[in-house]
Amino acid sequence: MRQKLEQLKSDFTSAIEQISSEEALEALRVEYLGRRGKLGELLSGLKDLSAEDKKEIGPFANQIKQELEAGFARKHAELMQELAGEKAQSEWIDITAPGIEPVNGNLHLTTQAIQEVVSIFNQLGFIRVRHPEIDWDYYAFESLNMPKDHAARDEWETFFIADGNKVMEGEKGKVVLTPHTSNGQVREIEKGYLPIRMMNINKTYRRQSDVTHVPMFHQFEGLLIDKGVTIAQLKGVFDFFVKRFFGPEREVRLRPHHFRFTEPSFELDISCNLCGGSAKIAGKKCRMCKQGWLELGGAGMVHPNVLHAGGLDPKEYNGFAFGWGVERTLMMKSGMNIDDIRILYKNDLRFLKQF
Ligand code: PHE
């Protein structure tokens, strides 16, 4: 019996040396150590031995069994290591190689301009808000001192939502795509917080399209309401903005104008960047401005009727408002050289990636 066990062990030792795969190793394990394996078969003969022999062979058989199991464990670990080594060879990664740089997008030119406008007005305490881009006639016109059928409305070539008043029931008239951000004026006053320093920036819509107009554009609307506000303060705010946005050498001027919702009303001009405000370049008329000034946008002292509409007493409170196109303001920046506003919204990456 002892001999047989020793023979089994030496057979096993030479067999396991030939093994080079996990499957073969498993087959060998079953052959020797399995339930009907060679070892088990031998050990089933134990019961026929004398008590004395049992005492001697028992522990020996146990030792052989343990040696076989240890042999398997060793071989298994060896195989696993070989496999990992092969993988490491075939799946080698150079962790020092530079990565693939992801494509970096950039903000649209208009968005960049909006952020710049906001950051400049923030310094004066104007906080950005957003009022609806689709709104009732009441906020876009009527509350701004433009009654129904008033001729002044014609200037805002307005898109109406078909059956808008059926969709949104209300006393506030038809529903329009806001043609200007001034719809935020009475809405802001209605909030009931005073004083007001609002910066309303939104999309606006008018039925227009040429080199200086697109049907969808952006406006920014400033509104300041307080006690004893003056035109000098209005001009000071413009000056602050223009010098920071366009450059310290640029000048501003107010030119009398007419809006229904401001009184007095102005149009705001800035000195031309091409001729420096002189209207002449090398003795010839400046082709950009022809007169030294470029029109920026509208402004004025808030009309008493607008204050009334928002629930304020014009004897107690007053203020100023201004509103311009973001795109137009952007195009007037020195060195911009955009001669057709429509390029901003053509989604031509060759153009957009430059900024
Ligand atoms: N809303 C006017 C426009 O779109 C501009 C404006 C705003 C004028 C505020 C005066 C006060 O032309």
Side-chain angles (χ1 to χ4, degrees):
M1 183 85 175
R2 200 182 178 93
Q3 257 176 20
K4 279 188 185 161
L5 280 167
E6 263 162 9
Q7 183 61 44
L8 181 92
K9 193 191 156 191
S10 87
D11 285 352
F12 166 77
T13 311
S14 50
I16 203 164
E17 256 160 40
Q18 319 290 321
I19 299 264
S20 63
S21 78
E22 236 187 311
E23 292 81 34
L25 184 67
E26 175 60 13
L28 193 70
R29 193 186 68 77
V30 173
E31 186 185 339
Y32 279 84
L33 292 166
R35 273 212 301 142
R36 286 188 201 115
K38 287 184 171 163
L39 183 66
E41 202 181 315
L42 251 181
L43 294 183
S44 67
L46 266 179
K47 62 179 188 313
D48 302 328
L49 296 180
S50 66
E52 216 161 290
D53 284 350
K54 266 187 202 160
K55 237 188 193 167
E56 193 209 320
I57 294 292
F60 182 67
N62 219 10
Q63 186 195 326
I64 292 289
K65 190 180 175 203
Q66 276 169 16
E67 280 173 16
L68 292 195
E69 276 168 353
F72 273 110
R74 222 179 299 120
K75 187 72 186 178
H76 187 74
E78 234 171 68
L79 280 178
M80 284 297 137
Q81 216 162 25
E82 258 170 45
L83 207 71
E86 269 165 35
K87 261 201 179 152
Q89 282 301 320
S90 61
E91 293 176 14
W92 186 74
I93 299 169
D94 180 359
I95 57 164
T96 65
I100 301 163
E101 196 182 341
V103 183
N104 242 339
N106 61 283
L107 294 174
H108 190 275
L109 205 47
T110 306
T111 308
Q112 291 181 37
I114 289 173
Q115 289 184 343
E116 196 180 344
V117 167
V118 169
S119 81
I120 293 172
F121 280 104
N122 272 176
Q123 294 169 45
L124 296 176
F126 287 83
I127 303 300
R128 185 177 185 189
V129 295
R130 299 188 68 159
H131 288 293
E133 293 171 347
I134 299 175
D135 208 351
W136 279 299
D137 177 295
Y138 174 77
Y139 290 111
F141 294 113
E142 196 138 0
S143 69
L144 296 175
N145 202 25
M146 287 187 275
K148 282 194 179 57
D149 303 320
H150 195 284
R153 290 176 170 226
D154 287 355
E155 263 182 60
W156 290 270
E157 296 154 289
T158 310
F159 291 110
F160 286 85
I161 303 276
D163 289 336
N165 46 344
K166 278 188 204 148
V167 180
M168 300 160 73
E169 284 290 333
E171 299 289 296
K172 295 176 174 171
K174 294 184 176 166
V175 178
V176 301
L177 298 184
T178 51
H180 57 177
T181 42
S182 298
N183 68 314
Q185 291 190 16
V186 169
R187 279 188 172 274
E188 188 68 21
I189 300 171
E190 279 180 348
K191 285 184 183 169
Y193 299 109
L194 290 162
I196 291 168
R197 271 186 250 175
M198 167 190 92
M199 177 63 19
N200 177 33
I201 310 190
N202 259 334
K203 291 188 180 70
T204 44
Y205 305 85
R206 293 185 199 179
R207 192 179 168 279
Q208 56 188 16
S209 178
D210 56 47
V211 291
T212 54
H213 296 94
V214 275
M216 185 286 298
F217 58 110
H218 297 75
Q219 278 196 341
F220 60 100
E221 182 98 4
L223 176 71
L224 185 146
I225 306 278
D226 208 333
K227 290 178 177 172
V229 180
T230 68
I231 296 173
Q233 291 167 353
L234 166 76
K235 196 170 179 219
V237 167
F238 289 151
D239 209 48
F240 183 90
F241 171 73
V242 163
K243 291 214 162 12
R244 275 158 190 78
F245 193 84
F246 295 102
E249 71 289 351
R250 306 294 282 274
E251 299 289 333
V252 288
R253 78 170 182 190
L254 299 179
R255 180 165 41 78
H257 195 74
H258 176 261
F259 293 106
R260 291 281 301 176
F261 38 99
T262 45
E263 180 59 36
S265 301
F266 310 101
E267 253 175 357
L268 183 87
D269 296 338
I270 63 168
S271 55
C272 175
N273 57 313
L274 270 192
C275 62
S278 68
K280 286 208 167 94
I281 296 178
K284 281 192 184 144
K285 225 181 205 176
C286 175
R287 69 183 157 78
M288 176 101 154
C289 65
K290 300 185 183 75
Q291 28 131 19
W293 297 92
L294 293 164
E295 181 201 316
L296 245 192
M301 301 305 285
V302 179
H303 196 286
N305 288 356
V306 176
L307 293 167
H308 258 308
L312 290 181
D313 178 0
K315 289 199 191 76
E316 202 182 344
Y317 286 98
N318 74 336
F320 59 75
F322 54 89
W324 308 314
V326 173
E327 291 84 347
R328 192 181 153 71
T329 308
L330 171 73
M331 285 164 71
M332 284 163 68
K333 221 173 178 164
S334 320
M336 246 343 189
N337 260 328
I338 299 173
D339 54 13
D340 187 338
I341 192 174
R342 290 171 294 193
I343 187 134
L344 286 171
Y345 300 114
K346 275 194 175 147
N347 288 337
D348 186 338
L349 288 178
R350 288 168 305 177
F351 169 76
L352 295 173
K353 275 182 174 169
Q354 295 174 50
F355 304 97

